[in-house]
Amino acid sequence: MGNVTSSVAARFAFFPPEPPTYEVFREGGEDGRLCLSGLGVDRNVDVHLVETRAGNRVVATFWRHPTARFTLLYSHGNAADLGQMLDLFLELRAHLRVNVMSYDYSGYGASTGKPSEFNTYYDIEAVYDCLKREYGIKQEDLILYGQSVGSGPTLHLAARLQKLRGVVLHSAILSGIRVLYPVKMTFWFDIFKNIDKIRQVNCHVLVIHGTADDIVDFSHGKRLWELSNEKYDPLWIKGGGHCNLETYPEYIKHLRKFIVSMEKLSLVKSRKQNNPPTSTITEVKHNKCLRFGKR
């Protein structure tokens, strides 16, 4: 069993940059503040070393926005580390007006251990616990964002959080084997079985995928959107590849639209909770659930 699983993982591999593109150090000595090389003196970024239940220590960075309503928990792809994504996190924080929590998987960047499917699950669980413990972030104020392989840990956590505000799937995969072969069924030795986990997610799901993706076929994103319980208007970027969707102007525009929609939904729910009906007679109406249509 283990050999087959390892074989699949080897084909659908992790590619942490070698050498890592950044270092973690303490400012002013052993008791100083943790810092990330390349960040300069941005005092709105906190650096953490978070211990996972596998015993690894993963690097996490919290990018604070002063007026943020939501926090984005970002899981990156399999060929990058945090040092290569600093500009993107700055852009997301500024344009979306959200906090951004990003992290490196075990074996990536300055995180210890070795990358594996289950380690990515332990990693995101530990980072989520850090968000709750250090910043008091509630599920209702959290949006999970998974890019490519990052869709695996994202949907792993999303399937477990019943009050989550939203999920963004960016160039996401249906499963590891389905990236390699167009199989119709899920095998026990497959990895990142997103095709099954997406059905357990109860919050709004935004799917972003390029129509010309030559690494993870566009059909992966389309199928994940179809299987979502609460669909948000997807973004199919015409001619977009696997690693360049952020360069298209509609990318940030559509993400901002999604954030605003989630803010409005949050406000409506808050008003309903604070203003319960006073009448003892309740009229029951059989309306269709609010859904966002396909583009």
Side-chain angles (χ1 to χ4, degrees):
M1 183 191 319
N3 289 338
V4 178
T5 306
S6 298
S7 176
V8 173
R11 291 288 303 278
F12 186 69
F14 295 94
F15 298 101
E18 292 290 348
T21 65
Y22 69 93
E23 295 179 350
V24 173
F25 62 95
R26 288 195 180 274
E27 186 179 58
E30 292 183 2
D31 298 325
R33 175 176 176 265
L34 280 172
C35 298
L36 205 73
S37 60
L39 262 184
V41 290
D42 188 341
R43 295 296 176 178
N44 287 323
V45 179
D46 298 333
V47 180
H48 299 274
L49 287 175
V50 182
E51 186 165 346
T52 75
R53 58 178 164 137
N56 298 324
R57 300 183 75 192
V58 299
V59 180
T61 55
F62 184 77
W63 303 67
R64 185 185 291 101
H65 189 284
T67 64
R69 174 68 180 82
F70 297 129
T71 294
L72 205 69
L73 175 47
Y74 193 107
S75 300
H76 61 66
N78 70 339
D81 67 17
L82 291 180
Q84 297 172 315
M85 307 190 70
L86 302 182
D87 289 341
L88 174 62
F89 299 143
L90 283 168
E91 291 293 317
L92 292 175
R93 180 175 69 175
H95 290 287
L96 303 182
R97 296 193 290 275
V98 296
N99 302 317
V100 179
M101 181 61 127
S102 56
Y103 67 102
D104 260 340
Y105 309 124
S106 296
Y108 276 70
S111 296
T112 65
K114 294 182 178 180
S116 71
E117 176 192 8
F118 283 97
N119 271 342
T120 66
Y121 298 159
Y122 303 150
D123 297 340
I124 197 172
E125 289 171 2
V127 173
Y128 171 61
D129 287 342
C130 177
L131 276 175
K132 292 189 296 180
R133 180 179 64 253
E134 299 293 333
Y135 304 101
I137 302 298
K138 300 177 181 178
Q139 289 186 39
E140 297 91 330
D141 300 326
L142 184 63
I143 295 172
L144 303 185
Y145 189 117
Q147 178 188 15
S148 188
V149 167
S151 59
T154 290
L155 287 177
H156 165 78
L157 186 60
R160 297 171 173 226
L161 302 182
Q162 298 303 307
K163 297 180 180 180
L164 196 62
R165 177 55 56 200
V167 167
V168 179
L169 298 177
H170 172 161
S171 303
I173 66 173
L174 284 167
S175 73
I177 282 185
R178 286 176 172 84
V179 176
L180 304 171
Y181 310 106
V183 296
K184 299 297 184 182
M185 61 179 293
T186 299
F187 295 94
W188 60 265
F189 52 83
D190 203 350
I191 61 173
F192 296 121
K193 301 172 186 176
N194 293 341
I195 191 171
D196 298 327
K197 292 180 180 179
I198 188 66
R199 307 167 202 256
Q200 304 168 38
V201 176
N202 296 320
C203 62
H204 286 85
V205 176
L206 163 62
V207 179
I208 303 172
H209 216 107
T211 61
D213 192 327
D214 60 352
I215 296 177
V216 178
D217 191 77
F218 169 60
S219 60
H220 286 246
K222 188 171 183 293
R223 184 59 178 150
L224 285 168
W225 182 80
E226 292 169 349
L227 292 172
S228 300
N229 294 315
E230 294 291 338
K231 300 174 177 63
Y232 186 84
D233 187 16
L235 177 60
W236 309 134
I237 297 183
K238 187 175 181 180
H242 190 68
C243 300
N244 65 348
L245 301 188
E246 300 91 341
T247 65
Y248 288 78
E250 56 263 47
Y251 166 79
I252 202 71
K253 182 179 179 181
H254 202 80
L255 270 177
R256 180 60 192 156
K257 179 182 174 185
F258 175 69
I259 296 295
V260 170
S261 296
M262 296 303 100
E263 289 173 344
K264 290 179 179 178
L265 282 175
S266 178
L267 184 60
V268 169
K269 289 182 179 180
S270 177
R271 285 175 176 172
K272 287 182 178 180
Q273 291 174 353
N274 294 331
N275 298 284
T278 56
S279 173
T280 57
I281 301 176
T282 303
E283 180 182 3
V284 179
K285 295 182 179 181
H286 297 282
N287 294 328
K288 291 183 177 180
C289 294
L290 176 63
R291 300 265 177 159
F292 292 84
K294 183 178 179 183
R295 283 177 60 136

